[in-house]
Amino acid sequence: MDVSPLVWTLTLAGIVGLLVFDYLFHVRRAHAPTLREAALWSSVYVGIALLFGVGVLIFGGTAAGSEYFAGYLTEKALSVDNLFVFLIIMTSFRVPREDQQKVLLFGIVFSLIARTGFIFLGSALINSFAWVFYVFGLALLVTAGNMFKPTTEESHSAQNVIVRLSRRLFHTTEYYDGDKLFTVLDGRRAMTPMLLVMVAIGGTDLMFALDSIPAIFGLTQNVFIVFTATAFSLLGLRQLYFLLDGLLDRLIYLSFGLAVILGFIGVKLILHALHENNVPFINNGEHIEVAEISTGMSLVVILAVLVVTVLTSLFSTRGRTQTAMANARRDATAYLDSEYTADPVERERIYRRLIESRDHIVSLGPKAKRIVKNEPELIELCRAAADSHDAAIANGQHPDPSVLGPDPLPLDSSRRES
């Protein structure tokens, strides 16, 4: 599919325009998005991506359309998996709820810039050296193997090398000053945690790009399709983060599904490399007649794996338990953190989700209960949050009950019922 400079220009202008719109109308004013807002704008961005894909299908043909949708689905699934790491980073840095949108938008813009660089570099390498397909294929197989390893919150650390080095070399603060990147501490200019968390997100984005770009090049070598599928998978990621809030931990088998997809694409790349082979020590530099996997087949496999993975995660007892456990710990910690949010409605929302998660943990059967780690410590953390909530009610620091419905059961009564 040949793409004219005009189409490239219009596409780039559209993507930049969406990012600017996102900043001006949603991110510039610090606030915690409601579920309705997140759902609405997630739908809008997914709709734009799908309409663009229909345009590629109409003007570029069936092959180009299939390549776009296969690439978009793969990149979107990888992006959702990346959101889990973003969640851990922002929890580790105690990013205030109202300012999380700005961090996410920065991550999206940085990721788009980094991946664009990798896309053009990858395209140049592929056009110059056919053996690059072997490298990409093997890299995806290694990544797929690593993704089969168990992943927990403890597996990721927001305090990466760049952040630790920044704290050592520069004057930094331990507290936020709104959404400012720099503030004044003891009469000296100092970096705030807001800048450090952006550094951590940026460093993580670079690592993600090393996995995602070979994956999409395994589905298409058309630079325009690779770029647009990647860009549209990133647009709307901020809204998706808040829409899936509390459910990210539920997708416990997503990494396994992605491992299967990346392994499948890795095999596809190696088969293609064998078919185009010119490496002297492989078959004397002659191509090898092997069956290649079509884009249509790739699209079907990717869709099937994602559907099975998501449904298995959602209906899994282990998934529900791990979600409740992670939500309870995260929500209780956030509720007890006075800097997390100044919005009483948001505080009430996370408190109620905390109570629901705690009730689920308390009511677990013996088999499922083994999944819960440090239950007494977790319940005590919930109790501290409940005491803080009671104190807030006594001081009149809670929203109108009509905003969120009836009050949840007190922790002690729920504990006795169990």
Side-chain angles (χ1 to χ4, degrees), residues 129-377:
F129 310 104
W131 51 262
V132 170
F133 286 111
Y134 286 114
V135 176
F136 282 2
L138 290 173
L140 289 179
L141 290 176
V142 170
T143 301
N146 289 333
M147 292 184 80
F148 276 111
K149 296 177 182 177
T151 302
T152 63
E153 292 194 31
E154 291 76 19
S155 327
H156 303 281
S157 173
Q159 304 295 330
N160 59 32
V161 176
I162 299 176
V163 172
R164 289 199 298 270
L165 189 62
S166 298
R167 288 189 185 276
R168 181 171 298 179
L169 296 179
F170 302 103
H171 191 43
T172 62
T173 70
E174 296 296 329
Y175 61 87
Y176 289 87
D177 185 3
D179 59 1
K180 294 179 182 177
L181 302 182
F182 294 91
T183 189
V184 176
L185 177 65
D186 299 330
R188 296 170 56 196
R189 188 175 175 82
M191 292 191 304
T192 69
M194 181 62 70
L195 180 58
L196 294 178
V197 72
M198 288 184 175
V199 170
I201 291 285
T204 306
D205 278 331
L206 284 176
M207 298 304 298
F208 290 156
L210 293 175
D211 295 335
S212 69
I213 298 307
I216 195 168
F217 269 119
L219 298 168
T220 177
Q221 285 81 58
N222 186 296
V223 176
F224 182 76
I225 294 176
V226 171
F227 172 76
T228 52
T230 301
F232 283 113
S233 72
L234 292 172
L235 291 173
L237 200 59
R238 177 186 63 79
Q239 294 86 347
L240 191 62
Y241 174 88
F242 292 99
L243 180 62
L244 295 180
D245 185 24
L247 289 178
L248 287 173
D249 301 280
R250 182 80 168 265
L251 301 175
I252 60 171
Y253 299 120
L254 179 60
S255 61
F256 298 147
L258 288 173
V260 172
I261 291 172
L262 293 182
F264 172 79
I265 297 174
V267 170
K268 183 177 187 295
L269 273 171
I270 290 175
L271 290 175
H272 181 72
L274 291 171
H275 190 269
E276 302 291 329
N277 179 62
N278 60 9
V279 179
F281 56 84
I282 299 179
N283 197 37
N284 295 320
E286 299 294 328
H287 76 278
I288 303 173
E289 291 296 335
V290 293
E292 290 202 72
I293 302 171
S294 68
T295 304
M297 176 62 72
S298 301
L299 183 57
V300 170
V301 170
I302 292 168
L303 271 172
V305 171
L306 287 178
V307 169
V308 170
T309 298
V310 171
L311 290 179
T312 304
S313 296
L314 292 178
F315 291 102
S316 161
T317 299
R318 184 180 185 87
R320 291 195 297 271
T321 302
Q322 287 193 182
T323 301
M325 184 174 64
N327 282 348
R329 182 175 289 109
R330 191 176 296 125
D331 290 339
T333 302
Y335 190 85
L336 292 169
D337 184 356
S338 60
E339 294 185 1
Y340 173 71
T341 179
D343 184 354
V345 174
E346 171 62 18
R347 288 180 61 79
E348 187 71 10
R349 184 190 71 83
I350 62 172
Y351 177 75
R352 294 190 175 211
R353 191 174 68 176
L354 160 64
I355 295 298
E356 292 173 2
S357 301
R358 186 241 22 229
D359 289 346
H360 176 80
I361 295 170
V362 169
S363 64
L364 290 174
K367 183 178 179 180
K369 208 162 186 175
R370 291 195 209 93
I371 301 171
V372 180
K373 298 177 181 178
N374 303 321
E375 184 201 1
E377 175 190 333

Side-chain angles (χ1 to χ4, degrees), residues 332 335-336 351 354 378-390 411:
Y335 190 85
L336 292 169
Y351 177 75
L354 160 64
L378 187 56
I379 294 298
E380 187 56 39
L381 190 62
C382 294
R383 188 183 301 280
D387 292 341
S388 177
H389 182 262
D390 291 342
L411 183 141

